[in-house]
């Protein structure tokens, strides 16, 4: 699980979003974390400590005068054992307190007393849209970031007060993702990564087309892993029914030609290109505007095909890639003789790194096994979830980028 062994202090401050904190607490635990809840007096007006105690299976702390701690220093003891302190919801008032170093209740005292280098502070703001947009709040957010806190984004939409806008707390699943991403090493910080994923669809007529069984899962997992590693990610996706990974820019395309155009548009600002898409090799020479009807002769219409451009080879041969400014990674979906085919394909496509996998064994699955082939040889990545493999692959790519430590 993604948070195995992590100990999170979950702080709740006053706000209606406290009801979402109960689900967040549960989600953190389900992902392997242990959670110690600390609540302000205001938070306890919105949700009871009993609820959070039952969910976290630990007694909840609400007061700096709590006599349960032998040394009577809950603020020290609780903060020292945390891998991170997450304040969700974090009210406008609490942000203002943090900013000034106020410490008149257990939670603010604990935040101030935390070892700033080793215990990161994550804030999930939650407030009315006017409060969020107020210059005082914006100023506080900027200063808290300078002080080293990670201020997470806010949700947009209907608010408990009946107004609509920015400022509501992100959903528990989104915050869970933020916390998981926070702990991933930032090996691609500052890099722009362009990824193709999924199949393409080559129209024959308005209702039919040529496509393939690629699910897009490996490419989407890579987009998530690259984003978690700090990259700015653009995902060019063929027709798949997958949710866009959080924080990733998605460009939807249908055909190989559209996919090529999207890649050409985005390649100039990218430092890494990863081609996971199962691009159709051929498209119908003519795609009719009207549905092709049976003519009663019993004869099937002849379908003339023409070859699609090779997107990976096109980008790999660009001046940017040739000068070393764009690192290109190809995938090879094979049915047999993986090493031989992947090695030959790496040379044919002219890419420094090629990732081989057995297509029929992985299409649509949540796991995969990979073979990394570069100029030095081949390395097996044994069967694991696509997300775990994607995280390893992201690290492998980062180690091959210009300027990476030897
Ligand atoms: N690829 C591409 N554009 C194409 C075909 C393939 O960008 N028109 C990319 C894929 O995204 C993948 C790599 O090239 O990264 C290899 O794809 P694959 O389908 O395995 O290889 P092909 O080039 O189609 O070769 P073959 O079908 O002969 O195995």
């Amino acid at each position: 699980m993604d948070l195995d062994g992590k100990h999170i202090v979950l702080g709740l401050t006053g706000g209606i979003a406290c009801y979402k904190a109960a689900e967040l607490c549960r989600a953190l635990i389900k992902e392997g974390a242990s959670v110690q809840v600390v609540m302000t007096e205001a938070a306890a007006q919105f949700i009871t400590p009993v609820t959070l105690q039952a969910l976290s299976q630990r007694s909840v702390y609400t007061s700096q005068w709590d006599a349960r701690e032998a040394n009577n220093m809950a603020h020290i003891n609780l903060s020292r054992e945390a891998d991170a302190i997450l304040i969700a919801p974090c009210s406008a008032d609490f942000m203002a307190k943090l900013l000034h170093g106020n410490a008149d209740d257990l939670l603010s005292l604990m935040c101030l007393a935390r070892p700033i280098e080793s215990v990161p502070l994550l804030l999930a703001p939650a407030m009315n849209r006017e409060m969020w947009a107020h210059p005082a709040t914006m100023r506080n957010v900027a200063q808290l970031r300078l002080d080293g806190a990670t201020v997470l984004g806010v949700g947009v939409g209907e608010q408990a007060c009946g107004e609509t806008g920015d400022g509501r707390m992100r959903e528990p699943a989104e915050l869970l993702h933020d916390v998981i991403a926070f702990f991933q090493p930032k090996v691609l910080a500052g890099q722009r990564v362009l990824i193709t994923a999924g199949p393409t669809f080559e129209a024959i007529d308005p209702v039919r087309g040529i496509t393939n069984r690629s699910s897009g899962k490996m490419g989407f997992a890579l987009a998530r892993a690259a984003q978690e590693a700090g990259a700015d990610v653009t995902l060019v996706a063929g027709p798949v029914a997958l949710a866009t990974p959080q924080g990733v820019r998605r460009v939807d395309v249908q055909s190989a030609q559209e996919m090529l155009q999207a890649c050409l548009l985005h390649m100039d600002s990218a430092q890494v290109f990863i081609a996971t898409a199962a691009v159709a090799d051929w498209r119908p020479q003519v795609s009719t505007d009207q549905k092709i009807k049976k003519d009663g002769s019993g004869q099937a219409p002849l379908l003339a095909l023409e070859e699609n451009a090779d997107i990976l080879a096109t980008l790999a041969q660009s001046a940017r890639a040739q000068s070393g400014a764009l690192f290109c990674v190809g995938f090879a979906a094979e049915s047999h003789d993986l090493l031989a085919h992947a090695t030959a394909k790496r040379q044919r496509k002219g890419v420094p790194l090629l990732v081989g996998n057995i297509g029929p064994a992985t299409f649509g699955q949540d796991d995969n096994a990979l073979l990394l082939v570069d100029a030095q040889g081949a390395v097996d990545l044994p069967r694991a979830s696509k997300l775990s493999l994607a995280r390893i692959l992201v690290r492998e790519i980062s180690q091959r980028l210009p300027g990476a430590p030897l």
Side-chain angles (χ1 to χ4, degrees):
M1 286 178 292
D2 283 335
L3 294 176
D4 268 340
K6 297 283 186 231
H7 183 65
I8 312 283
V9 171
L10 176 61
L12 277 66
T13 69
I16 186 59
C18 277
Y19 82 92
K20 294 191 199 173
E23 194 170 338
L24 175 61
C25 174
R26 194 148 185 269
L28 291 166
I29 289 171
K30 271 177 118 173
E31 210 47 66
S34 54
V35 177
Q36 173 62 59
V37 177
V38 177
M39 295 170 71
T40 64
E41 240 178 69
Q45 295 289 324
F46 289 91
I47 188 169
T48 71
V50 176
T51 303
L52 275 307
Q53 178 175 350
L55 291 172
S56 66
Q57 313 240 317
R58 283 169 178 252
S59 46
V60 169
Y61 284 78
T62 54
S63 160
Q64 71 264 46
W65 312 121
D66 196 316
R68 280 174 295 177
E69 295 291 304
N71 60 358
N72 218 304
M73 295 188 197
H75 62 295
I76 301 290
N77 306 344
L78 298 180
S79 63
R80 295 307 182 267
E81 58 190 25
D83 289 300
I85 299 175
L86 167 64
I87 312 290
C90 185
S91 65
D93 178 60
F94 197 74
M95 284 204 286
K97 276 173 99 167
L98 286 175
L99 181 88
H100 289 288
N102 287 1
D104 61 354
D105 67 344
L106 175 59
L107 192 57
S108 54
L109 181 60
M110 193 186 67
C111 290
L112 191 67
R114 83 187 203 280
I116 203 161
E117 296 299 333
S118 58
V119 182
L121 178 62
L122 281 71
L123 309 177
M127 65 201 72
N128 163 270
R129 68 192 173 103
E130 299 291 358
M131 293 166 76
W132 175 247
H134 196 285
T137 305
M138 288 294 113
R139 204 165 50 231
N140 292 348
V141 167
Q143 185 59 46
L144 284 166
R145 286 189 171 135
L146 289 175
D147 290 350
T150 297
V151 184
L152 304 170
V154 291
V156 187
E158 216 174 287
Q159 303 200 305
C161 52
E163 297 179 4
T164 303
D166 291 356
R168 54 186 260 178
M169 192 170 84
R170 281 150 82 75
E171 297 307 312
E174 294 172 319
L175 290 175
L176 176 69
H177 176 280
D178 287 339
V179 174
I180 293 170
F182 178 82
F183 285 115
Q184 294 302 317
K186 301 293 172 250
V187 292
L188 289 181
Q191 306 282 350
R192 281 176 191 262
V193 176
L194 177 63
I195 300 175
T196 64
T200 62
F201 181 88
E202 312 297 329
I204 296 171
D205 67 15
V207 296
R208 306 184 182 92
I210 301 172
T211 187
N212 60 64
R213 292 174 54 218
S214 166
S215 64
K217 285 181 178 173
M218 192 67 224
F220 275 60
L222 265 165
R224 172 173 171 175
Q227 194 273 339
E228 288 175 345
D232 177 281
V233 182
T234 301
L235 175 62
V236 180
V240 291
L242 293 175
T244 310
Q246 208 162 294
V248 166
R249 188 181 310 107
R250 176 174 180 167
V251 180
D252 281 318
V253 296
Q254 293 283 321
S255 66
Q257 284 175 303
E258 287 173 14
M259 189 173 271
L260 175 64
Q261 289 313 316
C263 289
L264 292 175
L265 197 67
H266 288 94
M267 66 173 282
D268 281 344
S269 56
Q271 283 84 38
V272 179
F273 173 58
I274 312 175
T276 72
V279 184
D281 289 320
W282 302 282
R283 63 173 178 271
Q285 248 169 20
V286 184
S287 166
T288 61
D289 289 342
Q290 293 189 339
K291 185 181 174 192
I292 303 169
K293 305 293 282 181
K294 288 196 286 280
D295 62 8
S297 68
Q299 294 286 309
L302 271 182
L303 205 57
L305 300 175
E306 62 188 337
E307 198 168 309
N308 275 323
D310 189 318
I311 301 169
L312 175 60
T314 305
L315 268 66
Q317 280 151 24
S318 68
R320 236 180 113 64
Q322 294 294 318
S323 71
L326 179 67
F327 185 85
C328 293
V329 182
F331 267 68
E334 307 294 342
S335 60
H336 60 287
D337 291 341
L338 188 55
L339 178 59
H341 286 306
T343 307
K345 203 166 274 185
R346 187 183 84 83
Q347 281 174 351
R348 202 168 69 237
K349 304 261 178 181
V351 292
L353 179 62
L354 193 117
V355 184
N357 58 169
I358 298 293
T362 183
F363 278 167
Q365 308 288 316
D366 288 323
D367 58 1
N368 199 356
L370 302 178
L371 181 73
L372 308 195
V373 182
D374 67 6
Q376 271 68 52
V379 180
D380 263 313
L381 300 186
R383 189 155 281 279
S385 75
K386 286 185 175 172
L387 184 57
S388 313
L389 290 170
R391 287 179 178 146
I392 299 173
L393 188 53
V394 157
R395 199 180 60 220
E396 292 282 342
I397 291 170
S398 75
Q399 288 164 355
R400 289 167 168 82
L401 295 182
L406 290 176

